[in-house]
Amino acid sequence: MKREENTKADELSKRVQNSSDMSSSVYFEELLALSIEKVEILCDNSPENWKTPFIANLKHGTLPGDKNKARYLKHKATHFFLKDDQLYRRTFSASTLKCVDLDETDYYLLEVHKGICRDQLAKNYLAYKVIWQGYYWPIIHTDAIVLVKKYKQCQIFSNVPKQSLDIPALVFFPIPFAIWGIDIMGPFPRAKGDLRYVLIAIDYMMKWA
């Protein structure tokens, strides 16, 4: 664009700088309506979580459209039941478990781990202790592992594997007395004949010394 064609841009620049030297070449347009169509955005604030499909199935028999998901839900729903619109899970090894929303799980884990119970349990025992207290959610064991990893004391006193990372070497002993292990022990207090050391030989196959 040529400089002589920048008249409108110059006039706008002067207006921004509160300049009074303006010509009538600056035009204004008043918009009486929206320049674009208004788009409505619908927000679904319904509290849908892992319990929602089970509650819908137990209340109304609702199943997902996918056949595999419908078969899975129908099978899993047999372990749950509703009481006063609250979902519970049946178990064989514990009492009836109250199903917990995922945004409330940290509270239950912390209460058992370092709150009222103050057990400071390891990850697996922590998950089972919460279940014994009567609560359940699908990823309880994973959440317990994540929680325990956050605490310094749990890491200090955790069980550290002491096995060597190297692959053990296999030693084959085909016949007796084919391979011997020999070692020397001492020095011991002087014995008769000025003896101070003991020579030990062990057969690898029969462990005969």
Side-chain angles (χ1 to χ4, degrees), residues 83-108:
K83 182 180 179 182
D84 299 331
D85 291 333
Q86 173 63 49
L87 188 66
Y88 293 87
R89 190 177 191 274
R90 299 185 181 91
T91 61
F92 298 102
S93 59
S95 59
T96 301
L97 305 180
K98 178 182 178 181
C99 296
V100 178
D101 294 335
L102 295 182
D103 56 353
E104 301 176 351
T105 57
D106 286 345
Y107 169 76
Y108 294 98

Side-chain angles (χ1 to χ4, degrees), residues 185-203:
M185 299 175 62
F188 295 101
R190 296 181 183 274
K192 186 178 180 179
D194 200 24
L195 301 178
R196 301 184 61 189
Y197 295 89
V198 176
L199 184 66
I200 300 176
I202 299 178
D203 174 48

Side-chain angles (χ1 to χ4, degrees), residues 3 13 23 35 39 42 48 61 66 77 107-110 112 119-120 125 135 165 172 175-176 182 185 191 199:
R3 288 189 175 184
S13 176
S23 65
S35 60
V39 179
L42 300 177
E48 182 164 344
D66 185 82
Y107 169 76
Y108 294 98
L109 288 171
L110 287 172
V112 174
D119 281 340
Q120 295 287 346
Y125 296 106
Y135 302 100
L165 297 178
F172 298 96
I175 56 176
I182 302 176
M185 299 175 62
L199 184 66

Side-chain angles (χ1 to χ4, degrees), residues 105-114 121 123 126 130 141-152 154-155:
T105 57
D106 286 345
Y107 169 76
Y108 294 98
L109 288 171
L110 287 172
E111 282 299 322
V112 174
H113 188 63
K114 57 175 294 188
L121 299 172
K123 53 184 181 295
L126 174 60
V130 175
H141 293 277
T142 303
D143 289 346
I145 293 173
V146 174
L147 179 71
V148 170
K149 286 182 178 180
K150 294 179 181 179
Y151 290 95
K152 180 180 179 181
C154 296
Q155 301 305 311

Side-chain angles (χ1 to χ4, degrees), residues 7-204:
T7 305
K8 291 183 179 181
D10 292 340
E11 294 293 345
L12 290 173
S13 176
K14 292 177 182 179
R15 182 171 178 80
V16 172
Q17 298 174 4
N18 297 324
S19 175
S20 60
D21 183 17
M22 296 181 63
S23 65
S24 58
S25 60
V26 179
Y27 300 97
F28 300 91
E29 181 181 0
E30 183 179 359
L31 298 177
L32 302 178
L34 295 176
S35 60
I36 60 174
E37 295 182 1
K38 186 178 180 180
V39 179
E40 295 184 359
I41 300 177
L42 300 177
C43 296
D44 185 9
N45 295 322
S46 60
E48 182 164 344
N49 49 42
W50 73 271
K51 300 189 299 183
T52 304
F54 293 99
I55 295 176
N57 178 262
L58 294 173
K59 268 190 174 183
H60 312 291
T62 307
L63 291 173
D66 185 82
K67 292 183 178 180
N68 293 329
K69 292 182 178 179
R71 189 183 303 110
Y72 174 82
L73 178 61
K74 192 173 181 180
H75 170 70
K76 288 294 183 180
T78 58
H79 301 287
F80 296 86
F81 68 94
L82 287 173
K83 182 180 179 182
D84 299 331
D85 291 333
Q86 173 63 49
L87 188 66
Y88 293 87
R89 190 177 191 274
R90 299 185 181 91
T91 61
F92 298 102
S93 59
S95 59
T96 301
L97 305 180
K98 178 182 178 181
C99 296
V100 178
D101 294 335
L102 295 182
D103 56 353
E104 301 176 351
T105 57
D106 286 345
Y107 169 76
Y108 294 98
L109 288 171
L110 287 172
E111 282 299 322
V112 174
H113 188 63
K114 57 175 294 188
I116 298 174
C117 298
R118 297 183 183 275
D119 281 340
Q120 295 287 346
L121 299 172
K123 53 184 181 295
N124 293 330
Y125 296 106
L126 174 60
Y128 287 120
K129 186 62 178 292
V130 175
I131 293 174
W132 294 336
Q133 294 298 321
Y135 302 100
Y136 171 81
W137 61 93
I139 55 174
I140 183 172
H141 293 277
T142 303
D143 289 346
I145 293 173
V146 174
L147 179 71
V148 170
K149 286 182 178 180
K150 294 179 181 179
Y151 290 95
K152 180 180 179 181
Q153 296 299 322
C154 296
Q155 301 305 311
I156 293 175
F157 296 104
S158 62
N159 294 325
V160 179
K162 298 179 174 58
Q163 289 96 349
S164 174
L165 297 178
D166 297 332
I167 300 176
L170 298 178
V171 180
F172 298 96
F173 319 117
I175 56 176
F177 306 109
I179 300 178
W180 289 75
I182 302 176
D183 196 6
I184 187 170
M185 299 175 62
F188 295 101
R190 296 181 183 274
K192 186 178 180 179
D194 200 24
L195 301 178
R196 301 184 61 189
Y197 295 89
V198 176
L199 184 66
I200 300 176
I202 299 178
D203 174 48
Y204 267 49

